[in-house]
Amino acid sequence: LSSSLSDVSRQAGVSLSTASRALDPEATHPVNKDTRKRVVEAATRLDYRPNPMAQGLRARRLKTIAVIVHEILDPYFAEIVRGAAAEAAAHGYLTFVCSSQRDPARESSYVDMLRRSRVAAVLFAAGELDDRRARAEIASQVAAIHRYGGAVVALAPRVERWPTEVTDNVGGARLAAEHLIELGHRRIAFIAGPEHVRTSKEREAGYLGAMLEAALEPIIERGDFTMGSGATATARLLQRRSEVTAIAVASDTMAVSVLAELGRRRLRVPEDMSVVGFGDMPGWEYSHPALTTVRIDLAEIGAAGVRRALAQIDGSDRPPRVRVHPVSLVSRESTTSLRAVSRR
Amino acid sequence: LSSSLSDVSRQAGVSLSTASRALDPEATHPVNKDTRKRVVEAATRLDYRPNPMAQGLRARRLKTIAVIVHEILDPYFAEIVRGAAAEAAAHGYLTFVCSSQRDPARESSYVDMLRRSRVAAVLFAAGELDDRRARAEIASQVAAIHRYGGAVVALAPRVERWPTEVTDNVGGARLAAEHLIELGHRRIAFIAGPEHVRTSKEREAGYLGAMLEAALEPIIERGDFTMGSGATATARLLQRRSEVTAIAVASDTMAVSVLAELGRRRLRVPEDMSVVGFGDMPGWEYSHPALTTVRIDLAEIGAAGVRRALAQIDGSDRPPRVRVHPVSLVSRESTTSLRAVSRR
DNA sequence: GTGAAAGCGCTAACAG
DNA sequence: CTGTTAGCGCTTTCAC
């Protein structure tokens, strides 16, 4: 079977502890050069790999991180997971993925499993769910995780005051709105997410800021960040305010179905309606019309979350608690200036 | 901190072993009813949860499964992961996600980590990569996994003769082609995946079978299953064979950019060109035109993979080695019958 | 039906 | 610089 440290120590003719010290990557304890060489050779010969469970049992913490998302199918979260998993792997960590499907019970049960497994870190990629009981449950689980020396990091704005790596939501939405204003649009609607979701609130605030500054009337319709919700929100919006010429959407995920609804109503994008998204989902630049959107480096946020968690664990983390990641606007095919466009 | 079994045994006034036996969910060893009650009460009071690492260290296997995918951003794989993780959680297992980005080195390194971690099962959601060295490496890692009692399951056709849960690729592609033939199309092209990928080969075979049976000439262009590759393949196809009126695509992922390329060339779908995909990615039914496609229950394949792995572990798995999951055609907006349609 | 003890594989405190 | 020893938390003989 797999060879253990005791096999290596026997082969090298040293004690267990010497073998352990010789193989310690940190090389914290002094070991004779020749001895180390002998041990390393034996280890190589035997294809020795330390057993993470044994290490974990001792260290009271498994070298593993977990990412909690609302929906792994949503490219927004998938991209965060990808970035986090890649960074984690580079540090020798494996990554658990927990997709709650926005179900508080499911989320609680996941966090409970994670706590029991003594994962080194939990990254909350999603905002808190709208459920008091679940939030209290999470809080106590997180306290337990902290007690055994595990780290918890938020990758979205949350009520809890955890270390946070987050997108510049306000700035991004402002960028989107300003882009449309510069193109000459005046009737600019915003399709937001649910009221209680902070990410959505922040993006809404950015939009409102830009609109107020330009002395334009805000027009807000609400989706729920799921794929299909953009379509229904668009339908409501158009019924209510058919004079709108541009729509800023709080997420690319919703923007897809905004585009679809527009297509179904025979409204051409961008000739009849400009649309700007938020997120810049990788791969979607191949769709048509390619979406003008606010670019977030989601993979980097995931990776930063892992680094942050690791820093928390080894005590090297420094303020500020909330780190904001910059965004930028990528202009593609779905927006154009307000000119003599054929209106309904 | 977290309470251990010894805390429970002390509280209940019994020995460690009795406590362990009383709490054993299998209830394999006889325990006095009252004793068990006392132990269970103590455990509840102390909010006791067994430590998976200690259990794993002893059982030589961590109650954890891993899914290896090419690209977690691809909804095809994300959906498999989601199904697998849900089923795994129902059995008390957590799920590692390993996105290789189609890089053999990365895949090998993941499998190595998984082996060291003694994961209970590894699910290969992706076909084998085109790299002899990596394949040999994987083979030896998998042998090691089997040696410690771990399971390995394939969720796509592979050279290795592992237990397999797989889509009916041949039947699905046949369904797609037959659908177009029934609609009256004669010039039907197929956008396949890379030649060495078995999933693609099988779908290609299904298409070829239907075409040959109908005495129609097959027209094949090749993409690589990435998001963007549908567009370039479509461009090549149209340049070569502009008389084509329908396209079957080997994956929804590629179909998105097929649609985009068609849109860019001002070809309307389905009026100028019918398109049928493969996969039925959840959420994409909201795009416009909604894609006619071959429906695969990917979440079920992931879940079946987990059940299969668990059966392997407890020795209850029975033939056949390869289990084929049925598919169906969902007809939406992207296909229509060949009538007097305006051709270029 | 219960308890004592060994051991899974590793690290670190303690002695030398 | 090296070795001995204890123990992380659990399950499972082996004895009674």
Side-chain angles (χ1 to χ4, degrees):
Chain A
L1 296 209
S2 206
S3 48
S4 74
L5 188 57
S6 81
D7 298 326
V8 174
S9 68
R10 204 171 318 118
Q11 273 261 338
V14 297
S15 76
L16 211 59
S17 24
T18 303
S20 173
R21 296 194 271 248
L23 261 20
D24 178 11
E26 319 280 280
T28 168
H29 194 97
V31 175
N32 179 291
K33 247 189 148 191
D34 288 355
T35 315
R36 163 165 286 129
K37 193 158 156 259
R38 283 215 320 285
V39 174
V40 169
E41 278 171 2
T44 315
R45 208 172 322 124
L46 293 168
D47 191 28
Y48 166 73
R49 311 294 164 83
N51 180 326
M53 283 187 289
Q55 292 182 312
L57 186 57
R58 188 135 216 310
R60 328 182 66 85
R61 193 186 310 144
L62 230 199
K63 274 191 103 181
T64 283
I65 74 138
V67 185
I68 298 188
V69 301
H70 279 335
E71 171 56 275
I72 186 63
L73 260 171
D74 187 330
Y76 179 89
F77 291 115
E79 177 73 346
I80 290 179
V81 168
R82 183 163 73 133
E87 183 73 16
H91 292 274
Y93 285 63
L94 283 166
T95 305
F96 284 129
V97 63
C98 309
S99 184
S100 73
Q101 316 306 130
R102 296 189 168 75
D103 172 1
R106 202 154 176 156
E107 185 175 286
S108 297
S109 124
Y110 266 129
V111 181
D112 182 50
M113 288 176 77
L114 295 172
R115 187 202 73 162
R116 294 167 45 181
S117 295
R118 306 273 202 292
V119 296
V122 180
L123 272 38
F124 283 84
E128 70 274 357
L129 292 164
D130 193 18
D131 182 311
R132 281 186 66 94
R133 260 181 61 84
R135 268 200 318 261
E137 171 83 6
I138 301 276
S140 95
Q141 302 281 15
V142 165
I145 291 171
H146 282 143
R147 253 178 274 132
Y148 69 65
V152 172
V153 172
L155 304 183
R158 292 186 67 115
V159 273
E160 300 94 344
R161 311 198 80 240
W162 303 330
T164 299
E165 302 282 333
V166 74
T167 303
D168 182 4
N169 288 312
V170 178
R174 172 176 284 275
L175 236 44
E178 286 174 352
H179 170 69
L180 294 170
I181 294 170
E182 272 166 34
L183 288 172
H185 293 275
R186 290 297 168 260
R187 297 294 181 188
I188 303 170
F190 184 70
I191 296 188
E195 217 149 356
H196 70 271
V197 175
R198 291 178 162 236
T199 296
S200 173
K201 262 216 195 87
E202 294 187 358
R203 293 181 188 171
E204 206 172 316
Y207 160 80
L208 285 174
M211 293 297 277
L212 263 37
E213 222 161 77
L216 295 174
E217 179 207 6
I219 306 170
I220 294 186
E221 198 62 59
R222 226 166 263 291
D224 64 3
F225 276 136
T226 62
M227 285 241 174
S229 72
T232 51
T234 303
R236 280 198 308 276
L237 171 68
L238 261 28
Q239 182 180 351
R240 195 157 65 82
R241 305 293 294 260
S242 62
E243 77 278 16
V244 161
T245 67
I247 305 177
V249 189
S251 83
D252 275 13
T253 309
M254 290 196 290
V256 172
S257 69
V258 169
L259 255 25
E261 181 65 22
L262 260 16
R264 250 174 221 113
R265 292 168 175 258
R266 303 257 167 268
L267 289 174
R268 292 163 304 160
V269 174
E271 293 85 349
D272 300 324
M273 184 76 79
S274 283
V275 177
V276 47
F278 203 120
D280 193 28
M281 299 305 118
W284 291 16
E285 64 267 29
Y286 300 109
S287 61
H288 177 78
L291 197 63
T292 293
T293 190
V294 176
R295 167 151 184 68
I296 315 175
D297 193 342
L298 262 358
E300 170 56 22
I301 287 189
V306 170
R307 288 194 295 270
R308 192 75 186 277
L310 264 24
Q312 283 272 313
I313 289 171
D314 71 18
S316 66
D317 194 26
R318 297 285 164 266
R321 181 180 67 84
V322 176
R323 242 136 37 208
V324 177
H325 292 246
V327 296
S328 56
L329 190 100
V330 299
S331 180
R332 290 204 271 248
E333 301 167 348
S334 68
T335 48
T336 193
S337 66
L338 181 79
R339 286 182 297 227
V341 292
S342 65
R343 307 296 304 146
R344 284 134 280 159
Chain B
L1 293 208
S2 206
S3 49
S4 73
L5 188 57
S6 81
D7 299 326
V8 175
S9 70
R10 205 173 314 118
Q11 274 262 337
V14 297
S15 75
L16 210 61
S17 18
T18 302
S20 172
R21 295 193 271 247
L23 262 19
D24 179 9
E26 319 279 282
T28 169
H29 193 96
V31 175
N32 180 292
K33 249 191 148 185
D34 288 354
T35 315
R36 162 165 288 129
K37 193 158 154 262
R38 283 215 320 285
V39 174
V40 169
E41 278 171 5
T44 314
R45 208 172 322 124
L46 291 169
D47 192 30
Y48 166 73
R49 311 295 164 83
N51 180 326
M53 281 187 288
Q55 291 182 311
L57 186 57
R58 191 140 213 306
R60 328 182 67 84
R61 195 188 305 146
L62 229 199
K63 272 192 107 183
T64 284
I65 73 139
V67 184
I68 298 188
V69 301
H70 280 334
E71 171 58 272
I72 186 63
L73 260 171
D74 187 330
Y76 179 90
F77 291 115
E79 177 73 346
I80 291 179
V81 168
R82 182 162 75 133
E87 182 74 17
H91 293 273
Y93 284 63
L94 284 166
T95 304
F96 284 130
V97 62
C98 310
S99 185
S100 72
Q101 318 304 131
R102 297 191 167 75
D103 171 2
R106 202 153 175 160
E107 184 175 285
S108 297
S109 121
Y110 265 130
V111 180
D112 183 50
M113 288 176 77
L114 295 172
R115 188 202 74 163
R116 293 168 42 181
S117 296
R118 305 275 201 291
V119 296
V122 181
L123 271 38
F124 283 84
E128 70 274 357
L129 292 164
D130 192 20
D131 182 312
R132 281 186 66 93
R133 260 181 61 84
R135 260 186 341 246
E137 171 84 5
I138 301 275
S140 93
Q141 303 281 15
V142 166
I145 291 171
H146 282 143
R147 253 178 274 134
Y148 70 65
V152 171
V153 171
L155 303 182
R158 293 187 66 114
V159 273
E160 299 95 343
R161 311 199 80 242
W162 301 330
T164 301
E165 303 282 332
V166 73
T167 304
D168 182 5
N169 288 312
V170 178
R174 172 177 283 275
L175 236 45
E178 286 173 353
H179 170 69
L180 295 171
I181 294 170
E182 271 165 35
L183 288 172
H185 293 275
R186 291 297 168 258
R187 297 297 181 186
I188 304 170
F190 184 70
I191 296 188
E195 216 148 357
H196 70 273
V197 175
R198 289 175 165 240
T199 296
S200 173
K201 262 217 194 87
E202 295 187 358
R203 294 182 187 171
E204 204 172 316
Y207 160 80
L208 285 174
M211 292 298 276
L212 262 38
E213 224 162 73
L216 296 175
E217 179 209 6
I219 305 171
I220 295 184
E221 197 62 58
R222 224 165 263 292
D224 63 3
F225 277 134
T226 62
M227 286 242 174
S229 72
T232 50
T234 303
R236 279 199 308 275
L237 171 69
L238 260 29
Q239 182 180 352
R240 198 157 63 80
R241 307 291 295 262
S242 60
E243 75 280 16
V244 162
T245 67
I247 305 178
V249 189
S251 83
D252 276 12
T253 309
M254 290 195 291
V256 173
S257 69
V258 169
L259 255 27
E261 180 66 21
L262 259 17
R264 249 173 223 113
R265 290 167 176 259
R266 302 258 167 267
L267 289 173
R268 293 162 305 161
V269 174
E271 294 86 349
D272 300 325
M273 183 76 77
S274 283
V275 176
V276 46
F278 204 119
D280 193 27
M281 297 308 118
W284 291 17
E285 63 268 29
Y286 300 108
S287 60
H288 178 79
L291 197 62
T292 293
T293 189
V294 175
R295 167 147 183 69
I296 315 176
D297 193 341
L298 261 359
E300 169 55 22
I301 287 189
V306 170
R307 288 194 295 272
R308 191 76 185 277
L310 263 25
Q312 283 271 313
I313 290 171
D314 70 19
S316 67
D317 193 28
R318 296 288 163 264
R321 180 180 67 83
V322 177
R323 230 113 74 188
V324 177
H325 291 245
V327 296
S328 57
L329 190 100
V330 299
S331 180
R332 289 202 273 249
E333 301 168 348
S334 68
T335 48
T336 192
S337 67
L338 182 78
R339 287 182 298 230
V341 293
S342 65
R343 304 299 304 147
R344 285 131 281 162

